[in-house]
């Protein structure tokens, strides 16, 4: 199995990541990361990494084992980093507690050259917690700390090695999505984003095809063309294919790739607009998940579509009131140019449906209404009942929380336009997240099970780091998509 690398050399900017390795023997002179819990009192795990006197030393420092707590202590010349799991009151799984504790440990590693942790606490949660939690994006700071990342050794049995490699691939996929989403829009725009997707995709074993603005217009991609026409940076549609011979199931993935969203002529307010660098998060997740599927050799055929455009106001921009023709022929009245994501996605969904996949999963930073409905960390999933529920449940198991949301009957009426087949917003804006799903549903081919994942807020953490989630780009919903693909392969 190939391990997906961290594609530092091809990225315009990237975050800091720890190095990680697998070993059978415990390295000397490494700080030992020990998860501790709060039961009757402080509880140490049974592990070859603990030492006599450690419990007493931690107790003397007042360690309680509560979630997020980090206690450092030296016993017999060895540095121990004890991280609290909490009291496991049943509110989340042990894996989730381990991931979050390892995230806290990773942030406490600054300045520690070598650390060791045991695979006994769960290979995947340990690796994910440490790699994802240790990620930090410094952007283009001139004095960015160079090569100060720690080397972490996960000690286990040879049986754990494959699971370790798989976990590292998943983490590097999440990191790829984070790096792309974190990168400012003057450094990442459709043409170089598409070329980057080509480079990364081909290096991961995918076939890649890029449609430029001329081909898009000639082939009738009216939504992508309309959104992209206001910008000096023309739009792109990227098609990635992973086609293992063993595949009996086919899945289309579709992602929103608005490299910057000003709102267009329906201009957004200035305050907070800089956050719209993240509006390509869906497409980054789709690219990352497809690369991970190849590294993990998941036996499903994947056709991934990244719909890229920059939404700008200008003399050539589309106007409210314009009527556009989507790929496949459905016409749409553009009421609000800031509801641009659905316009580019509609074309990509229609094109993806042409190949008649068994499943179609689309993800996007689509609506502000998502955060009104579900808050900052929980994404909304809409679509076919079964696939929607599978994704929402998978998401919660992975601690990338998702929740099933309905399609609303009233929107079937509200979407009608006097001058086109449909219009892109509903007048009163109620159920804004669900209305967007109704819009997208019009473009899904018959008989295809589909899901729409709205990650508007979960893709971007506006607060400080928590658990294994850093500030800014989170990489949501990469892990959910990868695990869903694995499940669909087993069907
Ligand atoms: N990219 C935004 C959605 C968004 C908002 C993502 C905030 C992350 C944070 C999307 O293109 C948008 O502008 N949606 C509009 C739709 C409206 C005009 C119907 C919105 O949610 O306000
Ligand atoms: Mn918008
Ligand atoms: Zn947008």
């Amino acid at each position: 199995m190939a391990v997906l690398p961290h594609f530092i050399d091809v990225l315009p900017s990237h975050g800091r990541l720890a190095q990680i390795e697998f070993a059978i023997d415990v390295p000397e002179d490494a700080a030992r990361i020990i998860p501790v819990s709060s039961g009757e009192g402080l509880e140490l795990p049974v592990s070859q990494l603990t030492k006599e006197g450690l419990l007493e030393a931690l107790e003397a420092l007042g360690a309680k084992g509560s979630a997020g707590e980090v206690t450092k202590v030296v016993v017999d010349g060895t540095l121990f980093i004890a991280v609290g799991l909490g009291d496991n009151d049943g509110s989340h799984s042990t894996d989730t507690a381990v991931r979050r504790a390892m995230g806290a440990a990773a942030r406490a590693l600054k300045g520690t050259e070598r650390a060791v942790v045991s695979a006994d606490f769960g290979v995947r949660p340990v690796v994910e917690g440490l790699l994802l939690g240790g990620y930090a994006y410094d952007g283009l700071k001139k004095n960015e700390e160079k090569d100060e990342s720690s080397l972490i050794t996960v000690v286990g049995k040879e049986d754990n090695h494959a699971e370790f490699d798989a976990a590292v691939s998943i983490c590097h996929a999440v990191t790829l999505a984070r790096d792309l989403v974190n990168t400012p829009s003057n450094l990442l725009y459709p043409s170089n984003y598409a070329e980057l997707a080509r480079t990364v995709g081909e290096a991961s074993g995918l076939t890649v095809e890029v449609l430029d603005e001329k081909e898009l217009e000639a082939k009738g991609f009216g939504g992508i063309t309309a959104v992209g026409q206001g910008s000096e940076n023309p739009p792109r549609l990227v098609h990635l294919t992973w086609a293992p011979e063993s595949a009996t199931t086919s899945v289309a993935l579709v992602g929103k790739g608005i490299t910057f969203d000003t709102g267009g002529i329906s201009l957004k307010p200035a305050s907070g607009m800089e956050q719209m660098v993240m509006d390509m998060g869906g497409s980054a997740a789709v690219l990352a998940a497809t690369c991970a599927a190849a590294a993990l050799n998941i036996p499903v055929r994947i056709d991934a579509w990244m719909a890229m455009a920059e939404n700008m106001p200008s003399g050539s921009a589309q106007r409210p009131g314009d009527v556009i023709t989507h790929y496949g022929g459905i016409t749409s009245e553009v009421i609000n140019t800031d509801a641009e994501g659905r316009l580019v996605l509609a074309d990509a969904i229609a094109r993806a449906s042409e190949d008649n996949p068994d499943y179609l999963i689309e993800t996007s930073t689509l609506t502000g209404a998502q955060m009104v409905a579900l808050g900052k960390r929980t994404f909304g999933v809409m679509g076919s009942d079964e696939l929607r529920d599978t994704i929402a449940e998978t998401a919660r198991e992975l601690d990338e929380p998702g929740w099933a949301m309905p399609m609303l009957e009233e929107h079937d009426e509200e979407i009608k336009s006097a001058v086109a087949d449909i219009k892109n917003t509903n007048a009163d804006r109620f159920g804004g997240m669900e209305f967007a799903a109704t819009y997208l549903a019009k473009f899904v081919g018959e008989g295809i099970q589909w899901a729409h994942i709205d990650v508007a807020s979960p893709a971007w953490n506006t607060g400080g780091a928590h658990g294994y989630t850093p500030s800014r780009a989170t990489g949501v919903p990469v892990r959910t998509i990868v695990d869903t693909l694995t499940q669909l392969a087993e069907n």
Side-chain angles (χ1 to χ4, degrees):
M1 185 173 27
V3 178
L4 193 73
H6 183 197
F7 289 98
I8 292 178
D9 297 342
V10 293
L11 295 165
S13 79
H14 63 86
R16 267 184 289 134
L17 202 62
Q19 297 178 67
I20 201 158
E21 64 170 21
F22 182 81
I24 309 286
D25 299 317
V26 180
E28 296 196 7
D29 301 329
R32 300 183 174 190
I33 300 169
I34 313 278
V36 295
S37 43
S38 55
E40 302 284 289
L42 183 68
E43 288 174 5
L44 281 188
V46 179
S47 167
Q48 58 168 336
L49 293 183
T50 58
K51 257 189 197 169
E52 230 181 277
L54 175 60
L55 182 67
E56 292 73 14
L58 289 170
E59 278 172 346
L61 287 168
K64 297 272 181 296
S66 48
E69 177 192 270
V70 178
T71 314
K72 292 184 179 185
V73 64
V74 175
V75 176
D76 275 353
T78 301
L79 172 62
F80 287 88
I81 302 175
V83 288
L85 294 169
D87 63 358
N88 215 341
D89 58 2
S91 60
H92 49 66
S93 70
T94 308
D95 281 1
T96 292
V98 171
R99 278 192 183 91
R100 293 182 184 183
M102 291 298 153
R107 284 193 298 282
L109 280 183
K110 255 194 151 180
T112 306
E113 260 171 61
R114 283 196 64 111
V116 60
V117 63
S118 169
D120 292 348
F121 310 119
V123 175
R124 185 172 176 189
V126 162
V127 171
E128 288 187 350
L130 288 169
L131 279 186
L132 300 180
Y135 176 95
Y137 182 77
D138 303 311
L140 294 113
K141 287 186 183 170
K142 188 155 157 258
N143 297 320
E144 183 190 347
E145 303 161 48
K146 296 224 165 61
D147 286 327
E148 275 178 17
S149 64
S150 336
L151 171 61
I152 301 167
T153 306
V154 178
V155 288
K157 303 192 183 62
E158 192 45 47
D159 314 3
N160 301 132
H161 206 153
E163 201 192 334
F164 171 85
D165 283 351
V168 173
S169 286
I170 289 171
C171 290
H172 285 170
V174 173
T175 301
L176 171 63
R178 288 178 178 178
D179 285 339
L180 290 168
V181 173
N182 276 327
T183 298
S185 303
N186 58 327
L187 303 180
L188 192 78
Y189 39 87
S191 60
N192 75 335
Y193 186 20
E195 283 316 310
L196 197 153
R198 188 203 297 279
T199 306
V200 167
E202 286 176 354
S204 307
L206 314 178
T207 309
V208 185
E209 176 196 20
V210 177
L211 298 186
D212 68 17
E213 75 274 22
K214 292 193 194 74
E215 290 163 297
L216 288 168
E217 201 183 342
K219 291 184 172 155
F221 289 88
I224 300 176
T225 301
V227 175
Q229 75 192 28
S231 173
E232 294 284 335
N233 294 313
R236 294 288 183 269
L237 178 64
V238 178
H239 177 200
L240 312 151
T241 306
W242 163 240
E245 270 172 27
S246 52
T248 53
T249 302
S250 56
V251 184
L253 299 178
V254 178
K256 171 175 173 180
I258 298 299
T259 59
F260 195 78
D261 183 12
T262 64
I265 295 298
S266 312
L267 195 62
K268 286 184 182 296
S271 167
M273 200 203 275
E274 72 284 354
Q275 289 178 29
M276 285 301 124
V277 299
M278 52 71 94
D279 212 18
M280 30 58 72
S283 60
V286 155
L287 168 67
T290 309
C291 292
L296 302 177
N297 207 0
I298 301 177
V300 307
R301 181 191 165 100
I302 303 172
D303 284 279
W305 301 87
M306 304 166 71
M308 302 172 179
E310 187 178 58
N311 190 23
M312 298 290 270
S314 77
S316 62
Q318 67 171 334
R319 295 146 287 250
D322 282 5
V323 173
I324 62 175
T325 304
H326 281 293
Y327 188 84
I330 295 177
T331 57
S332 180
E333 181 186 7
V334 179
I335 302 294
N336 189 315
T337 66
D338 197 13
E340 85 297 338
R342 63 202 72 182
L343 303 183
V344 302
L345 291 166
D347 282 4
I349 290 172
R351 172 60 192 86
S353 293
E354 234 173 43
D355 301 331
N356 206 23
D358 298 316
Y359 301 94
L360 187 152
I361 301 171
E362 171 279 324
T363 185
S364 42
T365 48
L366 205 59
T367 67
Q370 177 276 325
M371 40 191 118
V372 177
L374 291 170
K376 290 186 284 191
R377 298 184 189 177
T378 302
F379 56 71
V381 194
M382 291 136 277
S384 312
D385 295 356
E386 211 183 308
L387 182 61
R388 176 199 65 206
D389 290 347
T390 299
I391 291 173
E393 276 158 33
T394 303
R396 292 195 293 273
E397 270 163 34
L398 291 170
D399 193 29
E400 248 188 9
W403 207 260
M405 298 298 283
M407 306 282 291
L408 303 175
E409 206 180 7
E410 62 269 31
H411 288 164
D412 292 340
E413 280 305 312
E414 292 175 30
I415 201 168
K416 289 179 181 160
S417 157
V419 294
D421 296 322
I422 52 177
K423 61 185 179 204
N424 79 334
T425 62
N426 57 329
D428 62 20
R429 302 265 189 106
F430 289 128
M433 171 169 58
E434 295 85 347
F435 182 88
T438 294
Y439 191 93
L440 299 177
K442 302 282 178 197
F443 299 89
V444 179
E446 246 187 75
I448 302 172
Q449 280 210 58
W450 75 290
H452 158 54
I453 308 175
D454 192 335
V455 290
S457 197
W460 186 259
N461 176 15
T462 50
H466 60 87
Y468 49 97
T469 304
S471 284
R472 295 174 65 98
T474 63
V476 172
V478 173
R479 291 187 302 126
T480 297
I481 297 176
V482 173
D483 268 43
T484 301
L485 291 168
T486 305
Q487 286 178 51
L488 296 178
E490 284 159 6
N491 280 347

